[in-house]
Amino acid sequence: MAENGKNCDQRRVAMNKEQYNGNFTDPPSVNEKKRRDREERQNIVLWRQPLVTLQYFSLEILVILKEWTSRLWHRQSVVVSFLLLLAVLIATYYVEGAHQQYVQRIEKQFLLYAYWIGLGILSSVGLGTGLHTFLLYLGPHIASVTLAAYECNSVNFPEPPYPDQIICPDEEGTEGTISLWSIISKVRIEACMWGIGTAIGELPPYFMARAARLSGAEPDDEDYQEFEEMLEHAETAQDFASRAKLAVQNLVQKVGFFGILACASIPNPLFDLAGITCGHFLVPFWTFFGATLIGKAIIKMHIQKIFVIITFSKHIVEQMVAFIGAVPGIGPSLQKPFQEYLEAQRQKLHHKSETGAPQGENWLSWMFEKLVVVMVCYFILSIINSMAQSYAKRIQQRLNSEEKTK
């Protein structure tokens, strides 16, 4: 498979003197035009050209809606079947009867799974800059469960309000009964669903590269174009980033399933390249997705869970707070808000928050809430910029096509 892919790539490189204005043009001039077009698109951002960016963003949404409407129109049987199924589910949900207890249980589990899978998809799907949902949502949730488990000496938190709010059970356990495994088991569902979401989010680069390889068409994706350029200049790559990308590509191409598994099992910002490589070299879907799912939802997720749980275990947190207090000069003033915040959390866990929370709680909570808001807003802005640049690329491609036909 790898040898056939390599030979095919060599033929594509040999034929890469693209036809421009009806004549064969040297690749350097074509690459220079692509570089200028790319730089022009990168200037279309809200803080440089707000009106143009918003206009192109709106037009890109209309184009996408038109494309999806056309696709759905040509699949009317699928749409009708989906609407009928939806009608049955709505009727089942609203009609009273003995089945409602099961409906409520299924609804609760479905919403829980969908929430964490959705956050996982947002983390890896490639919309804008990507939303770091592990740092903003899953990591803090695991940390909260860890702190509560050590304080309550139990993980049997009342449901409800768990997982929306954590409070200690009426009958708390004895000190020292909490283990690493009990906390891992408590957050396993949330973590695995998030990992499944990240695996699903890695599929678009794979399908895009596979479709491009099978059709022979040039895809509208800069990551894939960068991948092809990397293959063309593989022998002359000197910088660290290019060599790292080539190492990932070679590992996935030569080792196959276990190479994909190795790349997916560790925090790897270059994993998009693994998806493009697998699609380009026509790696079977279940080989790619199976290895990605095992790596991200099981191996990598347990590594991340264990790291967060150990970091926020009771004695480690106490040592970190003591270390902050030992900083010369400003230590005590920095230590006080953390101590007050931890004390406020203990009071909440023991149903004592109504007696009056310390002021330090609001300070740290306010900081984290504002951080989440800022990162989500930046994520939304990056999506707007990315979609506006996609529409600008459509315009450039149309102009280039018109020039070729003259």
Side-chain angles (χ1 to χ4, degrees):
M1 178 190 71
E3 188 64 30
N4 291 336
K6 184 176 180 181
N7 293 336
C8 187
D9 285 331
Q10 290 174 346
R11 288 195 297 271
R12 288 186 69 177
V13 172
M15 298 176 64
N16 201 31
K17 290 184 177 179
E18 300 184 16
Q19 214 168 6
Y20 191 73
N21 289 331
N23 299 313
F24 283 101
T25 307
D26 290 335
S29 62
V30 176
N31 292 334
E32 179 66 20
K33 180 172 177 52
K34 287 183 178 180
R35 185 186 63 79
R36 290 197 305 268
D37 288 345
R38 187 181 302 119
E39 290 177 353
E40 182 181 338
R41 290 196 303 272
Q42 290 172 349
N43 286 325
I44 302 177
V45 290
L46 281 169
W47 44 88
R48 290 181 182 174
Q49 303 181 54
L51 296 179
V52 173
T53 303
L54 291 174
Q55 179 188 6
Y56 282 9
F57 168 71
S58 303
L59 293 172
E60 179 69 10
I61 288 180
L62 292 176
V63 170
I64 293 173
L65 289 175
K66 182 180 177 181
E67 291 176 350
W68 276 99
T69 302
S70 177
R71 291 176 183 177
L72 293 175
W73 181 256
H74 289 90
R75 293 172 175 81
Q76 296 181 12
S77 58
V78 175
V79 175
V80 171
S81 301
F82 174 78
L83 292 176
L84 289 174
L85 177 62
L86 185 62
V88 171
L89 292 176
I90 292 174
T92 305
Y93 183 81
Y94 284 104
V95 173
E96 296 293 335
H99 66 284
Q100 282 299 320
Q101 58 177 330
Y102 303 106
V103 170
Q104 292 175 4
R105 189 180 305 170
I106 293 172
E107 178 190 14
K108 179 182 176 182
Q109 293 299 317
F110 174 79
L111 292 177
L112 176 68
Y113 294 168
Y115 176 75
W116 289 110
I117 289 175
L119 288 178
I121 292 173
L122 286 176
S123 180
S124 62
V125 74
L127 286 173
T129 57
L131 186 63
H132 303 290
T133 52
F134 182 85
L135 295 177
L136 296 179
Y137 297 98
L138 183 59
H141 174 70
I142 297 173
S144 298
V145 171
T146 303
L147 293 172
Y150 281 105
E151 179 61 27
C152 303
N153 295 309
S154 173
V155 293
N156 298 319
F157 310 124
E159 299 184 32
Y162 182 84
D164 298 322
Q165 181 185 359
I166 304 176
I167 57 176
C168 291
D170 294 331
E171 296 182 2
E172 300 181 15
T174 58
E175 189 170 354
T177 57
I178 291 299
S179 65
L180 177 68
W181 182 252
S182 63
I183 302 175
I184 289 176
S185 301
K186 186 64 178 178
V187 297
R188 179 177 290 121
I189 295 297
E190 296 93 326
C192 286
M193 292 301 107
W194 186 87
I196 290 172
T198 61
I200 294 172
E202 300 293 352
L203 292 179
Y206 169 83
F207 284 124
M208 175 271 300
R210 184 179 179 88
R213 183 62 182 270
L214 291 173
S215 66
E218 186 74 15
D220 184 16
D221 186 87
E222 292 184 1
D223 289 338
Y224 186 79
Q225 293 171 2
E226 181 182 348
F227 170 76
E228 289 200 317
E229 291 176 4
M230 183 189 71
L231 291 180
E232 293 177 17
H233 303 95
E235 298 179 357
T236 59
Q238 297 293 331
D239 59 292
F240 175 78
S242 298
R243 285 183 290 178
K245 291 178 181 179
L246 283 171
V248 171
Q249 183 253 325
N250 289 330
L251 178 66
V252 171
Q253 182 182 351
K254 294 179 180 179
V255 183
F257 179 90
F258 292 102
I260 303 167
L261 182 64
C263 291
S265 300
I266 57 174
N268 184 3
L270 301 178
F271 192 79
D272 278 352
L273 183 63
I276 293 174
T277 301
C278 291
H280 181 79
F281 291 105
L282 304 181
V283 173
F285 170 77
W286 286 112
T287 300
F288 169 72
F289 187 64
T292 303
L293 189 64
I294 294 171
K296 287 185 173 288
I298 300 177
I299 301 175
K300 178 184 173 183
M301 187 39 56
H302 276 81
I303 293 172
Q304 291 176 302
K305 273 195 299 185
I306 291 171
F307 175 78
V308 174
I309 292 170
I310 291 175
T311 302
F312 286 89
S313 59
K314 186 175 182 180
H315 65 285
I316 295 293
V317 171
E318 291 174 349
Q319 289 177 3
M320 287 192 293
V321 173
F323 177 77
I324 292 173
V327 177
I330 61 173
S333 59
L334 289 176
Q335 185 187 47
K336 184 179 178 181
F338 287 94
Q339 290 176 329
E340 292 178 343
Y341 177 78
L342 291 173
E343 181 60 30
Q345 296 307 306
R346 293 189 184 101
Q347 291 179 357
K348 282 186 176 181
L349 292 170
H350 294 287
H351 319 278
K352 298 177 182 178
S353 58
E354 51 280 332
T355 60
Q359 294 297 321
E361 177 193 8
N362 294 331
W363 184 79
L364 285 178
S365 299
W366 184 88
M367 287 290 293
F368 183 74
E369 288 172 3
K370 295 303 176 285
L371 174 64
V372 172
V373 170
V374 168
M375 293 190 70
V376 171
C377 289
Y378 182 71
F379 173 64
I380 294 172
L381 291 177
S382 68
I383 292 177
I384 294 174
N385 292 335
S386 177
M387 293 183 70
Q389 291 169 7
S390 296
Y391 188 78
K393 189 168 186 177
R394 293 178 189 271
I395 295 176
Q396 291 173 345
Q397 290 176 336
R398 185 172 68 245
L399 293 176
N400 292 336
S401 299
E402 290 175 356
E403 290 179 1
K404 289 180 181 180
T405 57
K406 289 182 180 178

